């Protein structure tokens, strides 16, 4: 252990020296001497150099050039350096647990060093001999800071509790790091959700998303307005810079055109928030599902009678409207091989087990039998009888049941950005997941139906056409992503069922968004 710690300190010293030298010029010369590139060395991944030149950032294969200059790395004793920055929630538990599992699988020993409350350094050393293979530095702040560090070339990977914002996409693309909304740039690592919580003795049994937005905005400030006692509501919320709070803004307040009420109590962690709500009989808080195991969670409801709780399957299928995916964002540049191997590992079954043990919802696609979806079909039957006073054609419901009755639903769902034909970030990640399964032959000899659904606004025939178009769009995206799949081994088709199976009430933007979706059904 003393030898390993000494090696770790030596490696950290070398890393710090290299970082001091990276700002100095290097010259890369082809082995025949005909090509010469000079500039600032931005990074070396063990195989390729990244150099800032007068022509912009260039990536150069190290096997074809000779490096001259004080910043040139030692090729024989190369140590992979990877910096992750962003969400404190992800960086304190989930990422270290995944790194440890990755190390165990690949024969590395891990040592951890905290330089301060915001930085964790994880060193991976070979079990035999103790050679340092890689150093992962985690900066634990918030999602905003993660994207800022990426722009400043101080991070290789961003840990985010929200989607990258358009302004961040533009600045990062202008900096030459690619389009973070493009394929394989952003991936969902795990799934969490945003859930209202109250003290155990609080009588509140459910709350609609419009009412929840009004509570957070201060328009509803007394429990009597929700059918409770005549007492003021105390709001407990996360800090304004936390990724979870930004989920509140994106998923709850912005669709309702609301802003947060003044006087809400703010917290730096979910645990502190939950503890405060548990001791406040008149408090209402918003926290992550993973932090709410020991407090009363309040399901979301609507005027039409639907009630949705935040459980594992409702989060995985995105049926729960206030989902909170955990993202890893990677710029368009090569990671060291160790980093690429780690990113690949995060999609493995071993990694999904780690995610489940951390109290989060994993990304492993699951098949859900039709007899386990009775509530969904009950909702469909209830809404097919009468909808806003107009009789809905029960023939559409019968056609849907006939098409789906011999199939099982896959837990991957697909939704589109508001007012757009572009898939949202979680759905783009789901396209990659499904494409990987097709490439691996997991669905060979199966029939795969992409089933499109709509909200209840507009005429039934128009909604059916819109739903079919969405299903065809997702099918095409999956086909394009599954480059090596044997499509002659699997049958892919699309159909649209319009408003035949609503998941939530159409009386709010949240409910309509949940209802506009594409599902995958297998036979």
């Amino acid at each position: 252990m003393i030898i390993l710690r000494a090696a770790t300190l030596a490696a950290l010293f070398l890393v710090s020296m290299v970082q001091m030298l990276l700002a100095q010029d290097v010259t890369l010369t082809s082995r025949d001497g005909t090509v010469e590139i000079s500039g600032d060395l931005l990074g070396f991944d063990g195989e390729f150099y990244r150099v800032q030149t007068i022509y912009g950032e260039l990536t150069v294969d190290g096997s074809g050039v000779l490096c001259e200059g004080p910043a040139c790395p030692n090729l024989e004793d190369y140590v992979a350096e990877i910096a992750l920055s962003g969400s404190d929630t992800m960086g304190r538990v989930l990422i270290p647990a995944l790194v440890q599992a990755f190390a165990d699988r690949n024969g590395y020993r891990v040592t951890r060093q905290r330089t301060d409350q915001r930085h964790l350094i994880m060193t991976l050393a070979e079990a035999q001999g103790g050679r340092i293979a890689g150093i992962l530095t985690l900066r634990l702040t918030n999602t905003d800071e993660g994207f800022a560090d990426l722009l400043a070339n101080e991070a290789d990977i961003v840990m985010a509790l929200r989607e990258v914002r358009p302004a961040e996409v533009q600045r990062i693309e202008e900096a030459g790091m690619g389009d973070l909304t493009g394929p394989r740039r952003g991936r969902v690592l795990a799934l969490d959700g945003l859930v209202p919580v109250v003290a155990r003795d609080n009588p509140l049994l459910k709350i609609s998303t419009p009412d929840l937005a009004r509570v957070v905005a201060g328009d509803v400030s007394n429990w009597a307005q929700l059918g409770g006692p005549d007492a003021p509501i105390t709001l407990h919320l996360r800090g304004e810079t936390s990724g979870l709070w930004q989920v509140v803004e994106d998923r709850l307040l912005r669709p309702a055109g609301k802003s947060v009420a003044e006087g809400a109590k703010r917290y730096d962690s979910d645990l502190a928030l939950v503890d405060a709500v548990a001791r406040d009989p008149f408090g209402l808080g918003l926290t992550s599902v993973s932090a709410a195991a020991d407090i009363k969670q309040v399901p979301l409801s609507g005027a039409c009678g639907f009630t949705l709780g935040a459980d594992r399957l409702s989060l995985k299928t995105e049926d729960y409207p206030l989902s909170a995916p955990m993202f890893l964002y990677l710029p368009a540049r090569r990671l060291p091989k160790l980093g690429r191997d780690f990113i690949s590992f995060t999609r493995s079954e071993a990694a999904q087990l780690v995610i489940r043990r951390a109290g989060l919802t994993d990304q492993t696609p699951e098949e859900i039998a039709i007899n386990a979806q009775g509530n969904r079909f009950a909702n469909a039957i209830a809404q097919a009888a009468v909808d806003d006073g107009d009789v809905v054609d029960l023939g559409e419901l019968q056609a849907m049941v006939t098409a789906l009755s011999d199939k099982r639903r896959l837990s991957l769902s697909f939704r589109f950005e508001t007012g757009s034909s572009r898939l949202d970030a979680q759905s783009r990640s789901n396209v990659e997941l499904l494409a990987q399964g097709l490439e691996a032959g997991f669905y060979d000899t199966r029939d795969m139906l992409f089933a499109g659904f709509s909200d209840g606004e507009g005429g039934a025939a128009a909604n059916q056409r819109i739903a079919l178009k969405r299903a065809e769009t997702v099918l095409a995206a999956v086909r394009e992503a599954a480059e090596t799949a044997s499509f002659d081994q699997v049958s892919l088709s699309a159909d649209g069922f319009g408003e035949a199976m609503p998941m939530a009430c159409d009386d709010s933007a949240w409910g309509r968004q949940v209802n506009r979706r594409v599902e995958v059904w297998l036979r």
Side-chain angles (χ1 to χ4, degrees):
M1 181 61 71
I2 294 175
I3 294 174
L4 182 58
R5 286 178 176 171
T8 301
L9 291 173
L12 290 173
F13 174 76
L14 289 173
V15 168
S16 64
M17 291 298 295
V18 168
Q19 289 174 337
M20 293 174 60
L21 293 170
L22 285 182
Q24 302 184 39
D25 290 344
V26 297
T27 299
L28 304 178
T29 307
S30 63
R31 295 188 180 276
D32 61 7
T34 59
V35 178
E36 185 176 282
I37 299 172
S38 297
D40 291 335
L41 182 65
L42 298 177
F44 177 69
D45 66 5
E47 300 172 283
F48 287 78
Y49 297 95
R50 283 194 301 110
V51 182
Q52 186 66 48
T53 73
I54 60 173
Y55 308 106
E57 183 178 316
L58 299 179
T59 301
V60 182
D61 187 345
S63 64
V65 297
L66 300 174
C67 184
E68 297 179 1
C72 291
N74 185 330
L75 302 184
E76 294 183 0
D77 295 322
Y78 170 73
V79 176
E81 304 167 51
I82 305 163
L84 297 91
S85 178
S87 164
D88 176 270
T89 302
M90 295 173 64
R92 287 198 180 276
V93 177
L94 180 57
I95 297 297
L98 287 169
V99 171
Q100 183 67 60
F102 168 76
D104 293 343
R105 170 160 289 203
N106 290 278
Y108 296 120
R109 285 185 289 174
V110 179
T111 57
R112 304 187 186 197
Q113 180 185 13
R114 280 200 172 277
T115 57
D116 55 47
Q117 286 297 312
R118 292 298 187 186
H119 290 83
L120 171 64
I121 297 174
M122 303 186 71
T123 303
L124 278 63
E126 295 176 353
Q128 300 296 324
R131 186 187 75 84
I132 304 297
I135 297 175
L136 282 73
T137 302
L138 279 65
R139 183 168 183 253
L140 314 177
T141 52
N142 56 61
T143 300
D144 290 351
E145 288 292 318
F147 287 116
D149 285 347
L150 181 62
L151 269 171
N153 274 314
E154 295 177 0
D156 302 301
I157 302 171
V158 178
M159 304 174 289
L161 286 184
R162 60 164 172 82
E163 295 183 32
V164 61
R165 301 209 188 284
E168 293 164 336
V169 172
Q170 181 179 350
R171 289 195 295 269
I172 289 167
E173 191 165 10
E174 290 172 349
M177 301 183 196
D179 180 4
L180 287 191
T181 67
R184 298 178 176 84
R185 299 276 71 85
R187 62 173 62 199
V188 176
L189 183 64
L191 299 168
D192 208 340
L194 181 71
V195 63
V197 293
V198 295
R200 289 288 182 187
D201 294 336
N202 190 300
L204 186 66
L205 298 178
K206 60 185 179 181
I207 188 170
S208 70
T209 44
D211 280 346
L212 183 59
R214 286 191 281 268
V215 169
V216 177
D219 299 338
V220 172
S221 58
N222 193 293
W223 284 106
Q225 295 172 269
L226 299 175
D230 183 12
I233 299 173
T234 306
L235 266 179
H236 300 266
L237 306 171
R238 285 295 308 271
E240 292 184 12
T241 60
S242 75
L244 192 67
W245 170 249
Q246 290 166 352
V247 172
V248 176
E249 291 182 314
D250 292 347
R251 297 291 181 94
L252 188 67
L253 293 178
R254 189 169 293 120
K258 304 284 187 183
S259 57
V260 66
E262 295 183 3
K265 296 185 177 182
R266 298 283 193 164
Y267 301 88
D268 291 334
S269 72
D270 288 340
L271 294 179
L273 185 154
V274 167
D275 182 65
V277 173
R279 292 182 282 104
D280 182 355
F282 302 116
L284 186 147
L286 283 169
T287 188
S288 62
V289 174
S290 58
D294 297 324
I295 195 168
K296 182 178 176 180
Q297 301 181 32
V298 182
L300 300 179
S301 66
C304 64
F306 291 175
T307 300
L308 290 168
D311 56 36
R312 186 181 63 82
L313 274 181
S314 68
L315 290 173
K316 181 172 280 194
T317 59
E318 298 180 72
D319 291 343
Y320 185 73
L322 299 182
S323 62
M326 294 181 166
F327 294 95
L328 290 182
Y329 279 100
L330 300 92
R333 59 172 53 152
R334 286 175 60 90
L335 286 173
K337 184 177 184 303
L338 184 77
R340 300 197 301 271
D341 290 345
F342 172 69
I343 293 298
S344 296
F345 170 78
T346 61
R347 284 278 170 86
S348 69
E349 184 52 44
Q352 304 313 303
L353 179 60
V354 172
I355 291 167
R356 291 193 290 271
R357 286 176 174 171
L360 300 166
T361 299
D362 64 275
Q363 284 286 84
T364 303
E366 296 181 36
E367 295 184 23
I368 309 167
I370 198 166
N371 59 9
Q373 302 177 66
N375 60 330
R376 282 161 40 92
F377 283 87
N379 288 341
I381 294 169
Q383 294 303 298
V386 176
D387 185 9
D388 295 331
D390 295 325
V391 176
V392 174
D393 185 3
L394 288 175
E396 290 295 323
L397 178 59
Q398 292 170 338
M400 180 193 71
V401 172
T402 300
L404 303 181
S405 60
D406 61 345
K407 298 178 178 66
R408 299 165 67 89
R409 183 190 179 191
L410 200 62
S411 58
L412 299 177
S413 296
F414 303 87
R415 288 183 170 85
F416 295 81
E417 294 175 351
T418 302
S420 171
S421 60
R422 179 182 174 84
L423 288 168
D424 65 25
Q426 184 169 348
S427 297
R428 295 195 296 270
S429 183
N430 286 348
V431 166
E432 293 180 24
L433 272 176
L434 187 53
Q436 289 176 3
L438 286 165
E439 290 177 329
F442 293 158
Y443 306 109
D444 285 357
T445 74
R446 308 287 296 274
D447 291 334
M448 180 177 289
L449 173 66
F450 290 79
F453 297 91
S454 72
D455 58 37
E457 293 193 332
N463 285 337
Q464 191 274 336
R465 289 193 298 270
I466 292 170
L468 175 59
K469 184 176 180 180
R470 288 185 179 129
E472 291 171 339
T473 298
V474 175
L475 191 159
V478 171
R479 270 190 173 276
E480 182 178 356
E483 298 175 355
T484 64
S486 299
F487 287 111
D488 57 340
Q489 298 296 313
V490 58
S491 172
L492 304 181
S493 61
D495 204 346
F497 301 107
E499 57 200 274
M501 188 157 57
M503 287 303 307
C505 303
D506 278 332
D507 62 345
S508 69
W510 305 277
R512 292 189 292 273
Q513 176 68 12
V514 168
N515 289 335
R516 296 191 295 264
R517 68 198 185 279
V518 175
E519 300 177 358
V520 178
W521 288 73
L522 294 167
R523 179 174 58 197

